[in-house]
Amino acid sequence: MIRIDGSYGEGGGQILRTAVALSCLTGEAVEVYNIRANRPKPGLAMQHLKGIEAAKLISDADVEGLKIGSTRVVFRPRKLNGGKFRIDIGTAGSVTLILQTVLLPSLAAEKESFFEIKGGTDVKWSPPVDYVSNVTLKALSALKAGVKIDVLARGYYPKGGGVVRVSVSPSKLEGFEFSEFDCDIIKGISHCSNLPAHVAERQAKAAKEVLESRGYNAEISCEVRRDFSTGSGITLWCGYKGGSALGERGKRAEIVGEEAAQMLLKEMESKACFDVHLADQIMPFAAVARGETRYTTSEISLHQRSNAYVIRQFLGDVVEFDEAKKEVVIRGKGLLS
Ligand SMILES: Nc1ncnc2c1ncn2[C@@H]1O[C@H](COP(=O)(O)OP(=O)(O)OP(=O)(O)O)[C@@H](O)[C@H]1O
């Protein structure tokens, strides 16, 4: 059985998600201990628990330690299944972090998979759903992954209730060399629910002004909704880079727009091809693809290092960091060919 130290690197939820995803895909049982040891409340939180439950569902796994606060989990997958799955996180836990657990193994299932996931679509410390649709999936489609995401409702903190439908086709992933960064036009979505339309409009206008003042063209659409939860946010992207921000009570819409624009601009200042987040998200996919994947990143983060650690336990030394060039080279094992 593969053993993973959950306190490695940033010691957060990422190690657990990558470990469980690779366990489902390879069929190898895994034990993860010291789970989220470096977090103020160590062990499984609801979002992590739901991610493991989702992985259990698609792989018919036998799981030990599946409860809130648990710092050790043993996951023994049986057989990967395609089909229809419904996952209700119950809170505003991130739907995109659930996807980080189930997407990779579902690409290896014999049949197509359809997920309906209910929770937070735009919540702190996780990729906004528009980032996944427009940045993560753009990179995954270069690796030939067949994934489609539809957002039916948005879910914000604290009520959640956002709904996404995701279809995943069995795919033979291939490595890809991502070249230098190139940005023609910045795109974006500014959204709000149960708030006046001017909230989304002001977020978009403020972001556009910042981006245009730096010489970029920006096309930002507005989405004004009446969903179950109340909130707002904006996600911007260009090439393989993104920037986003969320509204909060007492925070002016203009500040939200400016924050997202500044986050994207900071990434665009670097000549790297990927932003720091995409650079960790793509690693497990590239590691199982056939052939080599290469990209530069604005930063070699702890999340990337801990993903490399987990990948090494399952697949050997396939990830290499060139610290000077800030380049990640992944020699894929061709498990999906
Ligand atoms: N603004 C953002 N845009 C895109 N991706 C993001 C953003 N913020 C976080 N992410 C991604 O979300 C994931 C978060 O992983 P992390 O381990 O921090 O989360 P977690 O499960 O909530 O863990 P913990 O609570 O233990 O920190 C990473 O893949 C990271 O790249």
Side-chain angles (χ1 to χ4, degrees):
M1 174 152 51
I2 289 169
R3 298 191 75 227
I4 304 280
D5 181 353
S7 70
Y8 188 94
E10 90 286 359
Q14 182 74 53
I15 299 174
L16 183 70
R17 285 190 295 275
T18 306
V20 168
L22 283 172
S23 166
C24 281
L25 186 142
T26 58
E28 293 257 11
V30 66
E31 175 190 358
V32 189
Y33 57 97
N34 288 339
I35 292 175
R36 297 181 68 245
N38 303 343
R39 297 297 187 240
K41 263 195 185 171
L44 299 182
M46 185 56 90
Q47 184 258 113
H48 310 99
L49 186 102
K50 290 286 175 181
I52 301 174
E53 272 178 13
K56 176 178 152 101
L57 208 61
I58 64 166
S59 66
D60 192 23
D62 178 44
V63 191
E64 287 172 39
L66 196 52
K67 57 176 198 298
I68 298 288
S70 172
T71 55
R72 178 180 171 271
V73 165
V74 179
F75 188 89
R76 293 187 187 85
R78 288 197 188 89
K79 184 179 181 304
L80 267 179
N81 300 303
K84 289 192 178 163
F85 305 99
R86 266 172 188 255
I87 299 154
D88 185 353
I89 306 174
T91 63
S94 164
V95 299
T96 59
L97 292 185
I98 298 289
L99 284 178
Q100 279 192 354
T101 318
V102 294
L103 215 53
L104 176 76
S106 297
L107 291 165
E110 279 167 19
K111 284 193 315 186
E112 204 168 354
S113 307
F114 301 95
F115 295 95
E116 186 172 291
I117 313 177
K118 203 166 171 188
T121 56
D122 295 86
V123 287
K124 276 188 182 167
W125 318 118
S126 59
V129 70
D130 299 317
Y131 177 95
V132 174
S133 302
N134 296 288
V135 180
T136 316
L137 289 197
K138 181 179 162 76
L140 285 182
S141 91
L143 299 185
K144 304 238 178 336
V147 183
K148 203 171 153 290
I149 299 187
D150 287 316
V151 181
L152 273 62
R154 297 223 175 231
Y156 304 94
Y157 182 80
K159 279 171 75 181
V163 181
V164 299
R165 285 206 184 129
V166 183
S167 62
V168 187
S169 312
S171 304
K172 296 191 192 323
L173 297 189
E174 287 177 24
F176 191 83
E177 289 201 15
F178 292 90
S179 51
E180 290 308 291
F181 180 62
D182 182 27
C183 176
D184 255 2
I185 181 156
I186 295 170
K187 298 219 166 148
I189 300 179
S190 176
H191 48 87
C192 66
S193 168
N194 300 321
L195 294 171
H198 66 74
V199 172
E201 289 156 8
R202 283 162 52 214
Q203 289 175 168
K205 183 165 178 281
K208 207 169 153 57
E209 277 171 11
V210 172
L211 296 170
E212 287 179 351
S213 75
R214 297 282 291 273
Y216 291 102
N217 290 323
E219 253 174 33
I220 305 172
S221 61
C222 288
E223 210 183 278
V224 178
R225 314 182 61 114
R226 291 274 171 267
D227 290 334
F228 174 68
S229 64
T230 298
S232 79
I234 177 168
T235 301
L236 307 166
W237 61 90
C238 193
Y240 296 110
K241 298 185 179 192
S244 55
L246 293 169
E248 270 172 39
R249 198 182 276 271
K251 182 170 165 188
R252 287 175 49 238
E254 285 74 15
I255 302 292
V256 179
E258 284 166 22
E259 254 180 39
Q262 294 297 355
M263 179 174 166
L264 179 62
L265 285 171
K266 185 166 171 281
E267 284 290 348
M268 302 214 324
E269 270 168 20
S270 130
K271 289 227 175 334
C273 180
F274 279 13
D275 72 27
V276 66
H277 296 300
L278 181 62
D280 79 62
Q281 293 168 20
I282 209 78
M283 290 174 75
F285 296 89
V288 301
R290 184 164 57 89
E292 193 170 278
T293 296
R294 236 174 224 277
Y295 50 86
T296 46
T297 162
S298 56
E299 183 194 331
I300 296 186
S301 65
L302 282 178
H303 275 83
Q304 292 162 44
R305 293 188 201 281
S306 50
N307 261 354
Y309 158 71
V310 178
I311 290 168
R312 193 180 328 120
Q313 309 310 308
F314 279 90
L315 306 172
D317 258 331
V318 300
V319 180
E320 202 180 291
F321 294 113
D322 183 328
E323 308 279 343
K325 288 202 253 170
K326 294 197 185 151
E327 187 178 46
V328 187
V329 182
I330 304 174
R331 284 176 295 277
K333 293 292 259 188
L335 300 188
L336 296 179
S337 327

